[in-house]
Amino acid sequence: GTLYVAKFTGDSPSAEIDGTGKLPTDGEFDGAGEWIPLASGDRSFVDGMTAEEVYVFTRLAADKAGATKMDRPEDVEPSPRTGRVYIALTNNSDRGKTGKAAADEANPRNANKHGQILELTERWNNPGSTRFNWRLFLVCGDPEDPSTYFGGFPKDQVSPISCPDNITFDAHGNLWISTDGNALGSHDGLFGVATAGSRRGQVKQFLTVPTGAETCGPIVQERRVLVAVQHPGELDGASVEKPASTWPDGPGKLTRPSVISVWRRDGGDIGA
């Protein structure tokens, strides 16, 4: 196959993207983009690099090809209902610093602590297309922060969310987001959000993991949710002798990562 890299172009005047996260006058962070080929088989499309060099030094090749520097993409998942592709961008505290990438419409906040979710639609809904349209579905953080955006949904009716990391979908087309590195002074967790209809953008927190843990690898089934609780108690200064968490077995037991299962007490569907 061919290895591609994405270039995102915003549709707002550059003066309206000032690094604060303020929405441009059209009310959305959105635009168009293209997939730029880097290499296919033993053929390189990047000047001065062999195909082998492209595969080993892909980030450097992407820079040479003109790819957009993104805010730490962690997961990419297509919606089983619409085919739209969702990308979790966890954070980038270096955005806008001297010598680092400046804010752009796809990454609109300097010193971005909270991350965003990008929604991408391939041209003509053709997965083989080299053109696409995109918009930021969520710009994460405290809903009271004016730099946040929740798909246009009223921000007084959403859960705060920070540092989206892994994403998945349920059978109803809802997006589920696990977080890593919550910068809002809370623990990480798992969140659900509708991607269509009147509740599009209404983020709801589903569960919270212990202190120092990362929420990872969610699987959302019809009546059960599975999630990995990674490295509970991983905080500065913590040790085996002085653990920051005693999850999951309590005091006197070793802290350890685990996979948990959650279901409704009434046995009903999840996400309906």
Side-chain angles (χ1 to χ4, degrees), residues 18-55:
D18 59 5
T20 66
K22 180 182 178 182
L23 283 174
T25 53
D26 68 358
E28 281 192 307
F29 297 112
D30 60 346
E34 61 178 313
W35 292 108
I36 304 170
L38 297 183
S40 182
D42 59 2
R43 181 185 179 190
S44 170
F45 302 107
V46 181
D47 290 342
M49 298 182 74
T50 66
E52 291 81 1
E53 289 171 331
V54 168
Y55 298 135

PDB file of all heavy atoms in Angstrom, residues 18-55:
ATOM      1  N   ASP A  18      -5.970  33.020  16.632  1.00  0.00           N
ATOM      2  CA  ASP A  18      -4.953  33.760  17.382  1.00  0.00           C
ATOM      3  C   ASP A  18      -4.334  32.962  18.525  1.00  0.00           C
ATOM      4  O   ASP A  18      -3.573  33.506  19.331  1.00  0.00           O
ATOM      5  CB  ASP A  18      -5.539  35.060  17.928  1.00  0.00           C
ATOM      6  CG  ASP A  18      -6.740  34.839  18.859  1.00  0.00           C
ATOM      7  OD1 ASP A  18      -7.058  33.671  19.158  1.00  0.00           O
ATOM      8  OD2 ASP A  18      -7.337  35.851  19.294  1.00  0.00           O
ATOM      9  N   GLY A  19      -4.666  31.667  18.626  1.00  0.00           N
ATOM     10  CA  GLY A  19      -4.089  30.835  19.673  1.00  0.00           C
ATOM     11  C   GLY A  19      -4.887  30.790  20.957  1.00  0.00           C
ATOM     12  O   GLY A  19      -4.542  30.036  21.874  1.00  0.00           O
ATOM     13  N   THR A  20      -5.959  31.563  21.052  1.00  0.00           N
ATOM     14  CA  THR A  20      -6.774  31.583  22.273  1.00  0.00           C
ATOM     15  C   THR A  20      -7.876  30.529  22.256  1.00  0.00           C
ATOM     16  O   THR A  20      -8.478  30.242  23.302  1.00  0.00           O
ATOM     17  CB  THR A  20      -7.436  32.952  22.473  1.00  0.00           C
ATOM     18  OG1 THR A  20      -8.393  33.178  21.414  1.00  0.00           O
ATOM     19  CG2 THR A  20      -6.393  34.066  22.471  1.00  0.00           C
ATOM     20  N   GLY A  21      -8.172  29.978  21.089  1.00  0.00           N
ATOM     21  CA  GLY A  21      -9.290  29.055  20.969  1.00  0.00           C
ATOM     22  C   GLY A  21     -10.612  29.749  20.704  1.00  0.00           C
ATOM     23  O   GLY A  21     -11.654  29.090  20.679  1.00  0.00           O
ATOM     24  N   LYS A  22     -10.587  31.044  20.470  1.00  0.00           N
ATOM     25  CA  LYS A  22     -11.816  31.760  20.147  1.00  0.00           C
ATOM     26  C   LYS A  22     -12.332  31.300  18.796  1.00  0.00           C
ATOM     27  O   LYS A  22     -11.583  31.195  17.825  1.00  0.00           O
ATOM     28  CB  LYS A  22     -11.546  33.265  20.108  1.00  0.00           C
ATOM     29  CG  LYS A  22     -12.770  34.107  19.768  1.00  0.00           C
ATOM     30  CD  LYS A  22     -12.412  35.581  19.705  1.00  0.00           C
ATOM     31  CE  LYS A  22     -13.609  36.430  19.307  1.00  0.00           C
ATOM     32  NZ  LYS A  22     -13.253  37.878  19.204  1.00  0.00           N
ATOM     33  N   LEU A  23     -13.638  30.989  18.729  1.00  0.00           N
ATOM     34  CA  LEU A  23     -14.226  30.531  17.477  1.00  0.00           C
ATOM     35  C   LEU A  23     -14.143  31.610  16.409  1.00  0.00           C
ATOM     36  O   LEU A  23     -14.352  32.796  16.688  1.00  0.00           O
ATOM     37  CB  LEU A  23     -15.686  30.143  17.678  1.00  0.00           C
ATOM     38  CG  LEU A  23     -15.988  28.798  18.344  1.00  0.00           C
ATOM     39  CD1 LEU A  23     -17.483  28.668  18.590  1.00  0.00           C
ATOM     40  CD2 LEU A  23     -15.492  27.639  17.489  1.00  0.00           C
ATOM     41  N   PRO A  24     -13.843  31.229  15.174  1.00  0.00           N
ATOM     42  CA  PRO A  24     -13.871  32.212  14.088  1.00  0.00           C
ATOM     43  C   PRO A  24     -15.305  32.637  13.797  1.00  0.00           C
ATOM     44  O   PRO A  24     -16.263  32.078  14.333  1.00  0.00           O
ATOM     45  CB  PRO A  24     -13.249  31.455  12.911  1.00  0.00           C
ATOM     46  CG  PRO A  24     -13.436  30.012  13.235  1.00  0.00           C
ATOM     47  CD  PRO A  24     -13.415  29.901  14.734  1.00  0.00           C
ATOM     48  N   THR A  25     -15.452  33.610  12.933  1.00  0.00           N
ATOM     49  CA  THR A  25     -16.777  34.200  12.709  1.00  0.00           C
ATOM     50  C   THR A  25     -17.763  33.217  12.078  1.00  0.00           C
ATOM     51  O   THR A  25     -18.979  33.417  12.207  1.00  0.00           O
ATOM     52  CB  THR A  25     -16.662  35.448  11.815  1.00  0.00           C
ATOM     53  OG1 THR A  25     -15.952  35.114  10.613  1.00  0.00           O
ATOM     54  CG2 THR A  25     -15.924  36.563  12.530  1.00  0.00           C
ATOM     55  N   ASP A  26     -17.283  32.170  11.414  1.00  0.00           N
ATOM     56  CA  ASP A  26     -18.225  31.211  10.836  1.00  0.00           C
ATOM     57  C   ASP A  26     -18.736  30.206  11.860  1.00  0.00           C
ATOM     58  O   ASP A  26     -19.549  29.337  11.544  1.00  0.00           O
ATOM     59  CB  ASP A  26     -17.609  30.494   9.635  1.00  0.00           C
ATOM     60  CG  ASP A  26     -16.458  29.560   9.999  1.00  0.00           C
ATOM     61  OD1 ASP A  26     -16.096  29.488  11.194  1.00  0.00           O
ATOM     62  OD2 ASP A  26     -15.906  28.917   9.083  1.00  0.00           O
ATOM     63  N   GLY A  27     -18.264  30.302  13.122  1.00  0.00           N
ATOM     64  CA  GLY A  27     -18.812  29.490  14.203  1.00  0.00           C
ATOM     65  C   GLY A  27     -18.233  28.114  14.364  1.00  0.00           C
ATOM     66  O   GLY A  27     -18.672  27.359  15.241  1.00  0.00           O
ATOM     67  N   GLU A  28     -17.237  27.742  13.557  1.00  0.00           N
ATOM     68  CA  GLU A  28     -16.632  26.426  13.657  1.00  0.00           C
ATOM     69  C   GLU A  28     -15.149  26.502  13.283  1.00  0.00           C
ATOM     70  O   GLU A  28     -14.742  27.362  12.504  1.00  0.00           O
ATOM     71  CB  GLU A  28     -17.292  25.423  12.696  1.00  0.00           C
ATOM     72  CG  GLU A  28     -18.600  24.857  13.149  1.00  0.00           C
ATOM     73  CD  GLU A  28     -19.004  23.678  12.265  1.00  0.00           C
ATOM     74  OE1 GLU A  28     -19.041  23.837  11.036  1.00  0.00           O
ATOM     75  OE2 GLU A  28     -19.278  22.601  12.819  1.00  0.00           O
ATOM     76  N   PHE A  29     -14.379  25.567  13.846  1.00  0.00           N
ATOM     77  CA  PHE A  29     -13.044  25.306  13.340  1.00  0.00           C
ATOM     78  C   PHE A  29     -13.203  24.215  12.291  1.00  0.00           C
ATOM     79  O   PHE A  29     -13.494  23.058  12.626  1.00  0.00           O
ATOM     80  CB  PHE A  29     -12.108  24.830  14.457  1.00  0.00           C
ATOM     81  CG  PHE A  29     -11.880  25.846  15.545  1.00  0.00           C
ATOM     82  CD1 PHE A  29     -12.367  25.635  16.825  1.00  0.00           C
ATOM     83  CD2 PHE A  29     -11.188  27.016  15.289  1.00  0.00           C
ATOM     84  CE1 PHE A  29     -12.152  26.553  17.838  1.00  0.00           C
ATOM     85  CE2 PHE A  29     -10.972  27.951  16.296  1.00  0.00           C
ATOM     86  CZ  PHE A  29     -11.447  27.732  17.560  1.00  0.00           C
ATOM     87  N   ASP A  30     -13.027  24.554  11.024  1.00  0.00           N
ATOM     88  CA  ASP A  30     -13.260  23.579   9.970  1.00  0.00           C
ATOM     89  C   ASP A  30     -12.482  23.952   8.721  1.00  0.00           C
ATOM     90  O   ASP A  30     -11.843  25.001   8.655  1.00  0.00           O
ATOM     91  CB  ASP A  30     -14.754  23.435   9.670  1.00  0.00           C
ATOM     92  CG  ASP A  30     -15.398  24.741   9.199  1.00  0.00           C
ATOM     93  OD1 ASP A  30     -14.766  25.814   9.345  1.00  0.00           O
ATOM     94  OD2 ASP A  30     -16.525  24.694   8.682  1.00  0.00           O
ATOM     95  N   GLY A  31     -12.537  23.067   7.733  1.00  0.00           N
ATOM     96  CA  GLY A  31     -11.828  23.333   6.500  1.00  0.00           C
ATOM     97  C   GLY A  31     -11.738  22.091   5.636  1.00  0.00           C
ATOM     98  O   GLY A  31     -12.564  21.176   5.731  1.00  0.00           O
ATOM     99  N   ALA A  32     -10.726  22.055   4.791  1.00  0.00           N
ATOM    100  CA  ALA A  32     -10.506  20.949   3.873  1.00  0.00           C
ATOM    101  C   ALA A  32      -9.094  20.414   4.069  1.00  0.00           C
ATOM    102  O   ALA A  32      -8.288  20.979   4.816  1.00  0.00           O
ATOM    103  CB  ALA A  32     -10.705  21.411   2.426  1.00  0.00           C
ATOM    104  N   GLY A  33      -8.803  19.302   3.387  1.00  0.00           N
ATOM    105  CA  GLY A  33      -7.470  18.724   3.530  1.00  0.00           C
ATOM    106  C   GLY A  33      -7.154  17.768   2.418  1.00  0.00           C
ATOM    107  O   GLY A  33      -7.992  17.452   1.578  1.00  0.00           O
ATOM    108  N   GLU A  34      -5.926  17.312   2.424  1.00  0.00           N
ATOM    109  CA  GLU A  34      -5.488  16.358   1.410  1.00  0.00           C
ATOM    110  C   GLU A  34      -4.531  15.349   2.026  1.00  0.00           C
ATOM    111  O   GLU A  34      -3.849  15.631   3.016  1.00  0.00           O
ATOM    112  CB  GLU A  34      -4.793  17.082   0.254  1.00  0.00           C
ATOM    113  CG  GLU A  34      -3.544  17.856   0.666  1.00  0.00           C
ATOM    114  CD  GLU A  34      -2.858  18.508  -0.522  1.00  0.00           C
ATOM    115  OE1 GLU A  34      -2.665  17.820  -1.553  1.00  0.00           O
ATOM    116  OE2 GLU A  34      -2.513  19.696  -0.414  1.00  0.00           O
ATOM    117  N   TRP A  35      -4.527  14.153   1.438  1.00  0.00           N
ATOM    118  CA  TRP A  35      -3.574  13.115   1.810  1.00  0.00           C
ATOM    119  C   TRP A  35      -2.388  13.186   0.856  1.00  0.00           C
ATOM    120  O   TRP A  35      -2.551  13.074  -0.355  1.00  0.00           O
ATOM    121  CB  TRP A  35      -4.218  11.734   1.730  1.00  0.00           C
ATOM    122  CG  TRP A  35      -5.287  11.508   2.757  1.00  0.00           C
ATOM    123  CD1 TRP A  35      -6.631  11.437   2.536  1.00  0.00           C
ATOM    124  CD2 TRP A  35      -5.095  11.315   4.157  1.00  0.00           C
ATOM    125  NE1 TRP A  35      -7.294  11.221   3.717  1.00  0.00           N
ATOM    126  CE2 TRP A  35      -6.383  11.143   4.735  1.00  0.00           C
ATOM    127  CE3 TRP A  35      -3.978  11.284   4.994  1.00  0.00           C
ATOM    128  CZ2 TRP A  35      -6.577  10.923   6.095  1.00  0.00           C
ATOM    129  CZ3 TRP A  35      -4.168  11.068   6.349  1.00  0.00           C
ATOM    130  CH2 TRP A  35      -5.446  10.888   6.887  1.00  0.00           C
ATOM    131  N   ILE A  36      -1.203  13.395   1.403  1.00  0.00           N
ATOM    132  CA  ILE A  36       0.014  13.524   0.612  1.00  0.00           C
ATOM    133  C   ILE A  36       0.769  12.195   0.656  1.00  0.00           C
ATOM    134  O   ILE A  36       1.088  11.702   1.736  1.00  0.00           O
ATOM    135  CB  ILE A  36       0.909  14.649   1.165  1.00  0.00           C
ATOM    136  CG1 ILE A  36       0.136  15.967   1.208  1.00  0.00           C
ATOM    137  CG2 ILE A  36       2.184  14.791   0.354  1.00  0.00           C
ATOM    138  CD1 ILE A  36       0.874  17.073   1.963  1.00  0.00           C
ATOM    139  N   PRO A  37       1.068  11.595  -0.501  1.00  0.00           N
ATOM    140  CA  PRO A  37       1.778  10.318  -0.490  1.00  0.00           C
ATOM    141  C   PRO A  37       3.243  10.500  -0.084  1.00  0.00           C
ATOM    142  O   PRO A  37       3.905  11.432  -0.540  1.00  0.00           O
ATOM    143  CB  PRO A  37       1.650   9.826  -1.930  1.00  0.00           C
ATOM    144  CG  PRO A  37       1.490  11.074  -2.743  1.00  0.00           C
ATOM    145  CD  PRO A  37       0.733  12.036  -1.870  1.00  0.00           C
ATOM    146  N   LEU A  38       3.715   9.593   0.770  1.00  0.00           N
ATOM    147  CA  LEU A  38       5.120   9.614   1.175  1.00  0.00           C
ATOM    148  C   LEU A  38       5.923   8.510   0.495  1.00  0.00           C
ATOM    149  O   LEU A  38       7.054   8.739   0.050  1.00  0.00           O
ATOM    150  CB  LEU A  38       5.240   9.449   2.701  1.00  0.00           C
ATOM    151  CG  LEU A  38       4.637  10.534   3.582  1.00  0.00           C
ATOM    152  CD1 LEU A  38       4.928  10.232   5.048  1.00  0.00           C
ATOM    153  CD2 LEU A  38       5.169  11.910   3.214  1.00  0.00           C
ATOM    154  N   ALA A  39       5.364   7.312   0.437  1.00  0.00           N
ATOM    155  CA  ALA A  39       6.081   6.190  -0.161  1.00  0.00           C
ATOM    156  C   ALA A  39       5.105   5.082  -0.479  1.00  0.00           C
ATOM    157  O   ALA A  39       4.047   4.951   0.154  1.00  0.00           O
ATOM    158  CB  ALA A  39       7.168   5.680   0.776  1.00  0.00           C
ATOM    159  N   SER A  40       5.470   4.266  -1.460  1.00  0.00           N
ATOM    160  CA  SER A  40       4.688   3.087  -1.825  1.00  0.00           C
ATOM    161  C   SER A  40       5.661   1.999  -2.240  1.00  0.00           C
ATOM    162  O   SER A  40       6.434   2.180  -3.193  1.00  0.00           O
ATOM    163  CB  SER A  40       3.722   3.408  -2.969  1.00  0.00           C
ATOM    164  OG  SER A  40       2.940   2.286  -3.286  1.00  0.00           O
ATOM    165  N   GLY A  41       5.654   0.887  -1.507  1.00  0.00           N
ATOM    166  CA  GLY A  41       6.626  -0.159  -1.801  1.00  0.00           C
ATOM    167  C   GLY A  41       8.040   0.366  -1.651  1.00  0.00           C
ATOM    168  O   GLY A  41       8.401   0.948  -0.624  1.00  0.00           O
ATOM    169  N   ASP A  42       8.847   0.209  -2.683  1.00  0.00           N
ATOM    170  CA  ASP A  42      10.222   0.713  -2.618  1.00  0.00           C
ATOM    171  C   ASP A  42      10.376   2.051  -3.314  1.00  0.00           C
ATOM    172  O   ASP A  42      11.490   2.498  -3.596  1.00  0.00           O
ATOM    173  CB  ASP A  42      11.194  -0.307  -3.220  1.00  0.00           C
ATOM    174  CG  ASP A  42      10.879  -0.633  -4.674  1.00  0.00           C
ATOM    175  OD1 ASP A  42       9.927  -0.032  -5.234  1.00  0.00           O
ATOM    176  OD2 ASP A  42      11.588  -1.495  -5.254  1.00  0.00           O
ATOM    177  N   ARG A  43       9.254   2.737  -3.566  1.00  0.00           N
ATOM    178  CA  ARG A  43       9.286   4.047  -4.229  1.00  0.00           C
ATOM    179  C   ARG A  43       8.989   5.155  -3.233  1.00  0.00           C
ATOM    180  O   ARG A  43       7.977   5.101  -2.527  1.00  0.00           O
ATOM    181  CB  ARG A  43       8.271   4.097  -5.366  1.00  0.00           C
ATOM    182  CG  ARG A  43       8.258   5.417  -6.117  1.00  0.00           C
ATOM    183  CD  ARG A  43       7.150   5.439  -7.163  1.00  0.00           C
ATOM    184  NE  ARG A  43       7.102   6.703  -7.876  1.00  0.00           N
ATOM    185  CZ  ARG A  43       6.128   7.075  -8.708  1.00  0.00           C
ATOM    186  NH1 ARG A  43       5.115   6.239  -8.928  1.00  0.00           N
ATOM    187  NH2 ARG A  43       6.146   8.248  -9.305  1.00  0.00           N
ATOM    188  N   SER A  44       9.857   6.134  -3.178  1.00  0.00           N
ATOM    189  CA  SER A  44       9.660   7.293  -2.302  1.00  0.00           C
ATOM    190  C   SER A  44       9.138   8.472  -3.102  1.00  0.00           C
ATOM    191  O   SER A  44       9.544   8.693  -4.250  1.00  0.00           O
ATOM    192  CB  SER A  44      10.982   7.685  -1.634  1.00  0.00           C
ATOM    193  OG  SER A  44      10.846   8.930  -0.969  1.00  0.00           O
ATOM    194  N   PHE A  45       8.229   9.241  -2.477  1.00  0.00           N
ATOM    195  CA  PHE A  45       7.724  10.470  -3.079  1.00  0.00           C
ATOM    196  C   PHE A  45       8.290  11.710  -2.377  1.00  0.00           C
ATOM    197  O   PHE A  45       7.837  12.830  -2.638  1.00  0.00           O
ATOM    198  CB  PHE A  45       6.195  10.493  -3.012  1.00  0.00           C
ATOM    199  CG  PHE A  45       5.546   9.335  -3.697  1.00  0.00           C
ATOM    200  CD1 PHE A  45       4.961   8.314  -2.954  1.00  0.00           C
ATOM    201  CD2 PHE A  45       5.529   9.241  -5.075  1.00  0.00           C
ATOM    202  CE1 PHE A  45       4.352   7.234  -3.577  1.00  0.00           C
ATOM    203  CE2 PHE A  45       4.930   8.161  -5.710  1.00  0.00           C
ATOM    204  CZ  PHE A  45       4.344   7.155  -4.963  1.00  0.00           C
ATOM    205  N   VAL A  46       9.237  11.508  -1.478  1.00  0.00           N
ATOM    206  CA  VAL A  46       9.823  12.603  -0.707  1.00  0.00           C
ATOM    207  C   VAL A  46      11.232  12.870  -1.221  1.00  0.00           C
ATOM    208  O   VAL A  46      12.091  11.981  -1.197  1.00  0.00           O
ATOM    209  CB  VAL A  46       9.874  12.259   0.797  1.00  0.00           C
ATOM    210  CG1 VAL A  46      10.460  13.422   1.589  1.00  0.00           C
ATOM    211  CG2 VAL A  46       8.478  11.911   1.298  1.00  0.00           C
ATOM    212  N   ASP A  47      11.472  14.086  -1.684  1.00  0.00           N
ATOM    213  CA  ASP A  47      12.781  14.435  -2.234  1.00  0.00           C
ATOM    214  C   ASP A  47      13.878  14.205  -1.208  1.00  0.00           C
ATOM    215  O   ASP A  47      13.748  14.602  -0.038  1.00  0.00           O
ATOM    216  CB  ASP A  47      12.799  15.897  -2.665  1.00  0.00           C
ATOM    217  CG  ASP A  47      11.933  16.155  -3.898  1.00  0.00           C
ATOM    218  OD1 ASP A  47      11.608  15.173  -4.607  1.00  0.00           O
ATOM    219  OD2 ASP A  47      11.574  17.327  -4.139  1.00  0.00           O
ATOM    220  N   GLY A  48      14.938  13.564  -1.649  1.00  0.00           N
ATOM    221  CA  GLY A  48      16.105  13.382  -0.793  1.00  0.00           C
ATOM    222  C   GLY A  48      16.009  12.236   0.186  1.00  0.00           C
ATOM    223  O   GLY A  48      16.920  12.039   0.997  1.00  0.00           O
ATOM    224  N   MET A  49      14.937  11.449   0.158  1.00  0.00           N
ATOM    225  CA  MET A  49      14.782  10.315   1.070  1.00  0.00           C
ATOM    226  C   MET A  49      14.413   9.067   0.283  1.00  0.00           C
ATOM    227  O   MET A  49      13.571   9.119  -0.624  1.00  0.00           O
ATOM    228  CB  MET A  49      13.715  10.592   2.130  1.00  0.00           C
ATOM    229  CG  MET A  49      14.024  11.771   3.045  1.00  0.00           C
ATOM    230  SD  MET A  49      12.766  12.026   4.336  1.00  0.00           S
ATOM    231  CE  MET A  49      13.137  10.653   5.446  1.00  0.00           C
ATOM    232  N   THR A  50      15.032   7.963   0.621  1.00  0.00           N
ATOM    233  CA  THR A  50      14.634   6.690   0.047  1.00  0.00           C
ATOM    234  C   THR A  50      13.356   6.202   0.714  1.00  0.00           C
ATOM    235  O   THR A  50      12.955   6.702   1.773  1.00  0.00           O
ATOM    236  CB  THR A  50      15.735   5.636   0.246  1.00  0.00           C
ATOM    237  OG1 THR A  50      15.860   5.357   1.654  1.00  0.00           O
ATOM    238  CG2 THR A  50      17.073   6.119  -0.297  1.00  0.00           C
ATOM    239  N   ALA A  51      12.726   5.193   0.110  1.00  0.00           N
ATOM    240  CA  ALA A  51      11.526   4.630   0.717  1.00  0.00           C
ATOM    241  C   ALA A  51      11.827   4.071   2.100  1.00  0.00           C
ATOM    242  O   ALA A  51      11.040   4.244   3.042  1.00  0.00           O
ATOM    243  CB  ALA A  51      10.942   3.546  -0.185  1.00  0.00           C
ATOM    244  N   GLU A  52      12.963   3.414   2.231  1.00  0.00           N
ATOM    245  CA  GLU A  52      13.343   2.862   3.530  1.00  0.00           C
ATOM    246  C   GLU A  52      13.481   3.960   4.578  1.00  0.00           C
ATOM    247  O   GLU A  52      13.048   3.807   5.728  1.00  0.00           O
ATOM    248  CB  GLU A  52      14.650   2.073   3.414  1.00  0.00           C
ATOM    249  CG  GLU A  52      14.547   0.780   2.631  1.00  0.00           C
ATOM    250  CD  GLU A  52      14.600   0.993   1.115  1.00  0.00           C
ATOM    251  OE1 GLU A  52      14.747   2.163   0.673  1.00  0.00           O
ATOM    252  OE2 GLU A  52      14.485   0.001   0.375  1.00  0.00           O
ATOM    253  N   GLU A  53      14.086   5.081   4.179  1.00  0.00           N
ATOM    254  CA  GLU A  53      14.243   6.205   5.114  1.00  0.00           C
ATOM    255  C   GLU A  53      12.885   6.796   5.490  1.00  0.00           C
ATOM    256  O   GLU A  53      12.661   7.179   6.647  1.00  0.00           O
ATOM    257  CB  GLU A  53      15.138   7.276   4.490  1.00  0.00           C
ATOM    258  CG  GLU A  53      16.598   6.861   4.397  1.00  0.00           C
ATOM    259  CD  GLU A  53      17.431   7.833   3.593  1.00  0.00           C
ATOM    260  OE1 GLU A  53      16.883   8.485   2.676  1.00  0.00           O
ATOM    261  OE2 GLU A  53      18.641   7.939   3.874  1.00  0.00           O
ATOM    262  N   VAL A  54      11.972   6.832   4.538  1.00  0.00           N
ATOM    263  CA  VAL A  54      10.633   7.345   4.831  1.00  0.00           C
ATOM    264  C   VAL A  54       9.944   6.479   5.875  1.00  0.00           C
ATOM    265  O   VAL A  54       9.326   6.993   6.825  1.00  0.00           O
ATOM    266  CB  VAL A  54       9.780   7.401   3.548  1.00  0.00           C
ATOM    267  CG1 VAL A  54       8.309   7.654   3.893  1.00  0.00           C
ATOM    268  CG2 VAL A  54      10.287   8.484   2.610  1.00  0.00           C
ATOM    269  N   TYR A  55      10.061   5.162   5.749  1.00  0.00           N
ATOM    270  CA  TYR A  55       9.381   4.264   6.681  1.00  0.00           C
ATOM    271  C   TYR A  55       9.995   4.318   8.081  1.00  0.00           C
ATOM    272  O   TYR A  55       9.290   4.125   9.078  1.00  0.00           O
ATOM    273  CB  TYR A  55       9.424   2.826   6.161  1.00  0.00           C
ATOM    274  CG  TYR A  55       8.711   2.638   4.844  1.00  0.00           C
ATOM    275  CD1 TYR A  55       9.294   1.891   3.819  1.00  0.00           C
ATOM    276  CD2 TYR A  55       7.461   3.198   4.613  1.00  0.00           C
ATOM    277  CE1 TYR A  55       8.651   1.712   2.599  1.00  0.00           C
ATOM    278  CE2 TYR A  55       6.818   3.029   3.397  1.00  0.00           C
ATOM    279  CZ  TYR A  55       7.414   2.282   2.390  1.00  0.00           C
ATOM    280  OH  TYR A  55       6.769   2.114   1.193  1.00  0.00           O
TER     281      TYR A  55
END
